[in-house]
Amino acid sequence: MLGIPKHEEIPLVPQLPLSVMGDACSRVDLTAIHQLLLVSHYKDDDGSCELSFQEWTQQIRDMLEARKRGDMAFRDKNFIEAIDGYTTFIDVGNIVSPTVYARRSICYLLCDKPDAALRDAMQAQLAHPEWPTAFYLQAVALVKLGMHKDAADMLNEASTLEKKRHNRGSRGY
């Protein structure tokens, strides 16, 4: 139908005799290929699987260490270092933390970088769409950018979300 012969086989004129694996592949014998891979275990990996795991765990350690550095600098009001630590956390990891974005947003605001602060507050909102803090931070950044009407709208949105959250909490949700 698609030009594929019913009997699947790779049309090949070998220059040298094929290995068992080569033969199985040329015949598209999936059962044989599977069996050969099973028997060979991981001997051809040369440690790449273990290295990959080590790299993965090292990436997690690096990411958590970066967040810890950011948190310590944030606590110590060293906002430039906090931005650096949080940026590393975001860049290294694949864990999305609205709190890290929120903290970095306020650091940017404290360093007079409202554009960057707004971006981070928006990222926090993306990570947690009904989190009032993300909206509040956007409102502050918008004020710093001279966008007062937008800031007021964002403030109202944050307030509405917070009220909804409070009402859900008081009803046991």
Side-chain angles (χ1 to χ4, degrees):
M1 184 158 87
L2 296 173
I4 300 171
K6 186 153 175 84
H7 176 68
E8 293 183 347
E9 196 167 63
I10 299 172
L12 170 68
V13 179
Q15 306 259 329
L16 299 170
L18 292 173
S19 68
V20 176
M21 179 62 89
D23 180 57
C25 289
S26 73
R27 294 180 288 109
V28 191
D29 186 343
L30 301 180
T31 302
I33 295 167
H34 168 263
Q35 187 61 35
L36 289 167
L37 290 172
L38 187 63
V39 169
S40 69
H41 199 51
Y42 292 97
K43 70 177 181 138
D44 295 327
D45 278 6
D46 74 277
S48 63
C49 187
E50 291 80 10
L51 180 60
S52 176
F53 180 73
Q54 289 171 352
E55 288 174 351
W56 177 80
T57 56
Q58 186 61 48
Q59 181 183 14
I60 296 296
R61 281 194 297 267
D62 291 348
M63 183 182 61
L64 294 175
E65 182 59 35
R67 189 183 75 186
K68 185 177 175 182
R69 261 193 347 266
D71 288 343
M72 290 172 59
F74 189 83
R75 181 196 66 207
D76 295 342
K77 299 178 183 171
N78 186 339
F79 303 116
I80 303 284
E81 280 191 33
I83 290 168
D84 184 53
Y86 293 141
T87 299
T88 301
F89 173 82
I90 290 165
D91 291 346
V92 168
N94 46 1
I95 296 174
V96 177
S97 170
T99 301
V100 167
Y101 280 114
R103 285 180 170 211
R104 192 171 73 166
S105 176
I106 196 66
C107 289
Y108 278 132
L109 285 167
L110 290 162
C111 291
D112 198 29
K113 296 180 179 181
D115 287 321
L118 180 59
R119 279 193 303 274
D120 275 0
M122 292 169 79
Q123 288 298 317
Q125 179 190 352
L126 284 172
H128 194 328
E130 293 188 13
W131 192 36
T133 302
F135 290 83
Y136 285 129
L137 288 170
Q138 288 178 58
V140 174
L142 288 166
V143 164
K144 292 283 195 177
L145 292 167
M147 303 172 76
H148 299 279
K149 171 144 179 27
D150 293 329
D153 292 343
M154 199 58 65
L155 193 64
N156 287 331
E157 183 69 26
S159 178
T160 302
L161 286 171
E162 203 160 46
K163 184 177 179 184
K164 285 180 185 177
R165 181 183 260 191
H166 178 69
N167 288 342
R168 281 191 307 249
S170 65
R171 290 185 300 190
Y173 293 118

